[in-house]
Amino acid sequence: MKKLLSLFAVISILLLAACGSDDGASSDASGESDTGEETYMVGATQIVEHPSLDEAYNGFQEALTDAGLEVEYDFQSAQNDQNNVKPISDGFVADGVDLIFANSTPSALGALQATSDIPIVFTSVTDAVDAELVPSMDEAGRNITGVVDLHPEQIDETVAFLDDNFTDASVGMIYNAGEQNSVNQVESVKTAAEGTGLSIEERTVANSSEVQQAATSLVEDVDVFYIITDNTVVSALDSVVGVANDQDIPLIVGEPDSLAKGGFATFGIDYHTIGYRTGEMAADILTGEKEPNDIPPEYPPEIELFINQQAAEEQGVEWKDEWDEEAQLVETE
């Protein structure tokens, strides 16, 4: 009997010790971190990885850190394959993430098709209204809002720059016709070019492996390239830069990050800035201060002229003294 009592006492002590143990896990089932702060799960996705989208994601994360939030990220790239977009968003919904960060038009569309309940914030979207992500730029969707990457004056300013500096030029544009944001931009370029001496020569591609061939096919027909913020083409921009440099064809691009890869000039925005602003929206949503439909979508705050002088030389562009004052100069990486 004494042996049985002693054994019972040992087992009781062990059970009490187990109940009172702390395994040091970073968060419990309720989503609280070991510091007592709530930990949020954010599903982050973009159509492809390239400098502009990556910088927007960096800005998004920085804003949430500056807001003092504990956040875990599930980042997934669609690897520029539309077939991957839906499974990624469906996975976020199945995992019950607290918010989805959709970094590109295809990613935002995939997220919105997957859920009408989980909050979604987007950026690097060119035309959120035409893509039917939001009713208007004054009104968010039920569970979606964000910051677009096309300033209302960006294309007009770029076309005016082309008309001033490459009068009567034939402008070569390469884009993926499957990206609605790209189709919209090309149509806007055509509209802006009306009444000028510029003409537009188009080539469409289905994937990044076709970009170099498209650029080469334009060499005999164009005086200047204009590459908009098309994810497929930008992910293979080196191919266009190579052709532009070899053939002395100036390369106008859609955002400053492409200048660092060898583009000549752009009226662009800062992708880190729009990503950061999107992160501020996300912080308000995660903490419950606002609902997505309380936050109207926004345009980028401003655009500036950026020029890569080294690229200008390699592409046979005669330098103009006024660019020293008018433009921010960028160097090739």
Side-chain angles (χ1 to χ4, degrees):
M1 176 66 73
K2 288 182 179 179
K3 289 182 178 179
L4 288 173
L5 289 173
S6 298
L7 180 60
F8 179 77
V10 170
I11 292 172
S12 298
I13 291 169
L14 290 173
L15 288 172
L16 287 170
C19 291
S21 68
D22 184 352
D23 63 5
S26 61
S27 62
D28 61 24
S30 67
E32 284 193 359
S33 68
D34 53 12
T35 63
E37 297 179 356
E38 185 170 1
T39 299
Y40 302 98
M41 175 58 73
V42 171
T45 181
Q46 57 195 55
I47 186 64
V48 69
E49 293 173 78
H50 65 64
S52 296
L53 297 184
D54 296 344
E55 196 56 39
Y57 181 41
N58 291 338
F60 175 80
Q61 293 175 290
E62 183 180 323
L64 289 173
T65 298
D66 289 349
L69 302 187
E70 294 281 344
V71 180
E72 293 181 2
Y73 297 93
D74 180 3
F75 173 80
Q76 299 198 37
S77 167
Q79 301 297 324
N80 207 25
D81 187 342
Q82 295 279 353
N83 294 321
N84 294 333
V85 172
K86 187 176 187 300
I88 289 172
S89 295
D90 288 344
F92 290 156
V93 174
D95 292 340
V97 298
D98 297 303
L99 180 140
I100 297 174
F101 171 61
N103 193 15
S104 72
T105 302
S107 301
L109 287 170
L112 190 58
Q113 290 166 2
T115 180
S116 59
D117 298 317
I118 296 173
I120 302 165
V121 292
F122 62 76
T123 196
S124 308
V125 167
T126 299
D127 191 333
V129 178
D130 191 76
E132 298 184 350
L133 295 171
V134 295
S136 74
M137 286 303 290
D138 297 317
E139 181 183 359
R142 172 183 168 182
N143 65 318
I144 186 168
T145 190
V147 184
V148 299
D149 67 356
L150 184 66
H151 191 281
E153 299 175 1
Q154 187 170 345
I155 285 178
D156 288 343
E157 292 284 355
T158 303
V159 170
F161 180 85
L162 284 165
D163 192 36
D164 289 342
N165 296 284
F166 304 97
T167 306
D168 298 330
S170 175
V171 180
M173 303 190 71
I174 307 168
Y175 64 100
N176 183 346
E179 292 191 29
Q180 187 59 47
N181 63 307
S182 300
V183 174
N184 293 342
Q185 287 183 76
V186 172
E187 290 304 313
S188 295
V189 171
K190 291 178 180 177
T191 299
E194 292 176 359
T196 72
L198 302 173
S199 59
I200 309 300
E201 188 74 25
E202 303 170 43
R203 294 290 188 277
T204 60
V205 296
N207 54 63
S208 57
S209 65
E210 298 176 359
V211 172
Q212 184 170 14
Q213 181 180 353
T216 301
S217 74
L218 283 168
V219 167
E220 298 298 325
D221 300 321
V222 303
D223 305 297
V224 58
F225 287 126
Y226 179 13
I227 301 301
I228 52 176
T229 56
D230 179 281
N231 293 301
T232 301
V233 181
V234 171
S235 67
L237 190 68
D238 289 345
S239 299
V240 186
V241 171
V243 174
N245 290 350
D246 289 343
Q247 302 295 326
D248 286 344
I249 299 175
L251 172 57
I252 306 297
V253 291
E255 29 71 36
D257 290 318
S258 290
L259 291 185
K261 297 182 71 173
F264 154 54
T266 186
F267 277 90
I269 65 167
D270 182 351
Y271 274 75
H272 188 277
T273 296
I274 63 172
Y276 190 95
R277 176 58 190 136
T278 307
E280 291 178 324
M281 293 176 172
D284 285 342
I285 293 168
L286 289 170
T287 57
E289 292 184 25
K290 295 181 180 179
E291 296 292 330
N293 58 13
D294 294 329
I295 310 171
E298 298 179 9
Y299 290 106
E302 60 183 11
I303 55 171
E304 300 178 75
L305 174 61
F306 296 82
I307 292 180
N308 181 333
Q309 188 169 7
Q310 178 183 342
E313 294 173 358
E314 292 179 352
Q315 293 161 18
V317 179
E318 184 177 347
W319 189 258
K320 295 187 176 182
D321 292 338
E322 60 261 31
W323 291 343
D324 291 314
E325 300 294 329
E326 296 175 356
Q328 287 200 41
L329 302 184
V330 177
E331 296 182 354
T332 303
E333 291 178 346

